[in-house]
Amino acid sequence: MGISSAFSIAASGLRATSIQSDLVARNISNAQTEGYSRKSAELTTRNGAVLIAGVSREVDPLLDRLDRSNRAEQARASTIAGALSTYTDYLGQPEDQTSPVNALNRLYTSMLTLASSPGAAAAQLAAVEAAQALSGQINDLAVTLSELGREVDLNIRYDVASVNDNLTRLGQINARLGQIGGEGLEGADLKDEAARLIDGLSDFMDVQVTSFADGSVNLYTTGGTELLTQRRVTHISYDPTAGKLFAGNAEITPGAPGVRGFSAGSLAGLFELQGKIIPQLSQELDGFATLLVDRFRAIDDSLAPGEPGLFVDSAGEGRGAGGLAQRLTINPRVSPAKGGDPALLTSGLGSEPGLSQGDPALIFAMISVIDERVAGNTAFGERQSLSDYATSMVSGQQQRRVSAEAVAGQAAISGATISASRRNLQGVNLDDELQSLLVLEQSFAANSRVLSSLQSMMDDLFNAI
């Protein structure tokens, strides 16, 4: 080996050590940076000289896919659990003061008191107030569900905007990676950013990723609909009227039959809330309101056909069952606030004020209608009393929340394990980096000694001439 070759080899070693040291320094400074992957230099040799062939990232495609899939499922489950928690916190347990079950029990108790003193004005007023409190409680729950539905709609819009932002940026990264061939430190940093963006997308919707040699990616829904093809972005749009989601002109609404959509992510949870869970909860509330209207009307013989009983639809008859829980109120004929007479509870809501109030027969009929099982289909069985229905509704809706929280908890536990494995592999271990610095220090010192020795030899040669 000639002196010039030795100089070249030692100098290349110093250059390689310098680049490796820079990478280690970057790794240490980004040890706490979310989504940062450890970088290392790929070394090669040519004619004895050490060259940097490229910069590699510590990644595992399988762990990436598992972690993103779990993130999407966890986002879906936590979205549903959070919404149900918001509603059921207001709903309460059957024994809570805010519960419809408790309000129905208070009406039952006030009716018992009135039955023992049907002519007592205070007992009549107390029964009317209990009925008004029950209808008001049902109104409030229906309003809470309606507000929850509006919040879900708004969150869908926010999520769609975020998805489009991520897809647009990924398209830009794809373009730049294509220009530089995905090489060097810039390419590695762009791949890190792309990975973070895909992780963020997974919180909104589960996606399939196809990677290319230069680091660029194509994205598809799990059903196969294109979202990103190299630089071409297919933007997501939301039709609030139809309750549908589109990628370009292709429908990808989660849960919709026959579409190539997706089933996980916060968007999937929001569409499940919007299209299934909230409508079912509303239907159960409307069913309870319908039973109150129909059964209290059926036991009052003083009413002419079509006349309302104790509970009425504030919008009038013939409006259909949808939204009845929000419109439920008491008959204005017994409401003092509307000029009504509470004494009609005993004489009949279809009778004239001032009739005899000494007969408790109608009051006993109202008591019976609360706890008597009547034949007919309801959301919770064929023979349900009002008390049965209210208890089943509250308990069932609370159980739905408990189940949703259990699913979210399980997803969080399994996701924590996968995420930890991914961080351990791809993240920065400070102990390992410090050990690498020691090795690089020794390499730098060795190459420096070679150069010093070569310089000394050259000096001796020149002095000998």
Side-chain angles (χ1 to χ4, degrees):
M1 178 188 297
I3 291 179
S4 61
S5 296
F7 263 114
S8 176
I9 292 172
S12 70
L14 286 177
R15 285 193 297 270
T17 301
S18 175
I19 294 173
Q20 288 177 291
S21 298
D22 287 343
L23 288 176
V24 171
R26 286 173 61 89
N27 288 339
I28 292 174
S29 64
N30 286 284
Q32 302 301 319
T33 301
E34 184 70 23
Y36 179 84
S37 297
R38 181 181 178 273
K39 311 292 189 304
S40 60
E42 297 177 352
L43 303 179
T44 187
T45 60
R46 187 171 61 198
N47 298 325
V50 181
L51 302 175
I52 301 296
V55 177
S56 64
R57 301 165 57 243
E58 293 289 345
V59 294
D60 185 328
L62 176 60
L63 279 177
D64 286 350
R65 185 166 63 252
L66 289 174
D67 188 37
R68 288 165 182 163
S69 176
N70 196 276
R71 285 177 65 140
E73 180 54 36
Q74 187 175 345
R76 185 197 72 83
S78 61
T79 296
I80 293 173
L84 286 174
S85 178
T86 298
Y87 169 68
T88 54
D89 282 347
Y90 190 83
L91 174 70
Q93 297 292 343
E95 66 276 6
D96 291 343
Q97 287 294 318
T98 58
S99 166
V101 177
N102 190 282
L104 185 63
N105 289 337
R106 292 198 298 273
L107 175 61
Y108 184 86
T109 301
S110 67
M111 289 292 183
L112 286 175
T113 302
L114 180 58
S116 64
S117 304
Q124 294 167 358
L125 181 59
V128 168
E129 290 175 345
Q132 183 65 69
L134 174 58
S135 66
Q137 179 63 30
I138 295 172
N139 296 157
D140 291 343
L141 287 171
V143 169
T144 300
L145 278 177
S146 179
E147 291 174 349
L148 184 60
R150 286 193 290 272
E151 184 178 346
V152 165
D153 181 85
L154 188 62
N155 284 333
I156 290 175
R157 298 170 191 265
Y158 287 150
D159 284 5
V160 166
S162 297
V163 167
N164 285 329
D165 288 344
N166 282 15
L167 289 174
T168 299
R169 178 55 186 153
L170 281 167
Q172 295 169 349
I173 291 174
N174 277 353
R176 181 57 182 162
L177 286 171
Q179 292 172 353
I180 65 175
E183 299 295 333
L185 192 55
E186 181 186 1
D189 286 341
L190 287 172
K191 293 171 189 176
D192 269 1
E193 184 181 356
R196 286 193 293 270
L197 290 169
I198 297 172
D199 288 346
L201 273 176
S202 298
D203 291 334
F204 303 119
M205 57 194 299
D206 48 342
V207 295
Q208 297 184 66
V209 183
T210 301
S211 301
F212 297 92
D214 61 1
S216 61
V217 295
N218 286 354
L219 297 181
Y220 309 87
T221 66
T222 50
T225 301
E226 291 182 358
L227 300 174
L228 173 67
T229 307
Q230 292 300 301
R231 306 179 187 185
R232 188 176 73 249
V233 175
T234 304
H235 287 288
I236 308 300
S237 60
Y238 168 54
D239 182 349
T241 303
K244 294 181 178 181
L245 195 67
F246 296 88
N249 294 323
E251 184 183 352
I252 57 170
T253 308
V259 303
R260 298 189 302 160
F262 55 97
S263 59
S266 60
L267 277 170
L270 291 169
F271 272 94
E272 187 172 345
L273 285 165
Q274 183 187 70
K276 180 180 178 182
I277 295 175
I278 293 178
Q280 184 173 347
L281 298 177
S282 297
Q283 185 178 10
E284 291 171 0
L285 269 180
D286 287 341
F288 186 44
T290 299
L291 289 179
L292 288 171
V293 170
D294 292 345
R295 294 190 180 180
F296 274 89
R297 177 168 54 191
I299 50 90
D300 191 343
D301 294 333
S302 68
L303 297 172
E307 279 191 302
L310 176 58
F311 293 97
V312 301
D313 183 345
S314 62
E317 300 295 330
R319 284 288 301 271
L324 177 58
Q326 200 165 339
R327 305 192 305 268
L328 185 70
T329 187
I330 62 170
N331 196 319
R333 296 203 69 199
V334 297
S335 173
K338 297 180 180 179
D341 183 3
L344 293 179
L345 280 178
T346 56
S347 60
L349 278 81
S351 63
E352 295 297 325
L355 295 180
S356 173
Q357 304 169 12
D359 186 1
L362 179 57
I363 302 302
F364 281 120
M366 291 183 179
I367 293 171
S368 297
V369 85
I370 293 175
D371 57 14
E372 180 181 356
R373 290 183 170 89
V374 178
N377 290 324
T378 71
F380 301 103
E382 292 186 357
R383 295 184 64 87
Q384 290 270 303
S385 67
L386 288 173
S387 181
D388 291 338
Y389 189 101
T391 302
S392 297
M393 178 181 69
V394 173
S395 299
Q397 293 179 355
Q398 287 287 356
Q399 184 56 47
R400 187 192 290 269
R401 173 190 62 82
V402 171
S403 299
E405 289 177 346
V407 171
Q410 184 59 45
I413 292 172
S414 60
T417 302
I418 297 172
S419 294
S421 299
R422 186 184 179 195
R423 285 194 302 271
N424 289 338
L425 173 71
Q426 301 181 4
V428 176
N429 185 305
L430 292 178
D431 291 338
D432 291 343
E433 299 304 315
L434 292 175
Q435 289 178 6
S436 295
L437 279 178
L438 292 176
V439 173
L440 291 171
E441 181 184 11
Q442 295 170 359
S443 176
F444 187 88
N447 285 298
S448 297
R449 283 195 299 271
V450 170
L451 287 176
S452 297
S453 298
L454 290 172
Q455 182 64 50
S456 178
M457 290 174 60
M458 292 293 294
D459 289 343
D460 290 343
L461 285 174
F462 282 123
N463 290 333
I465 295 176

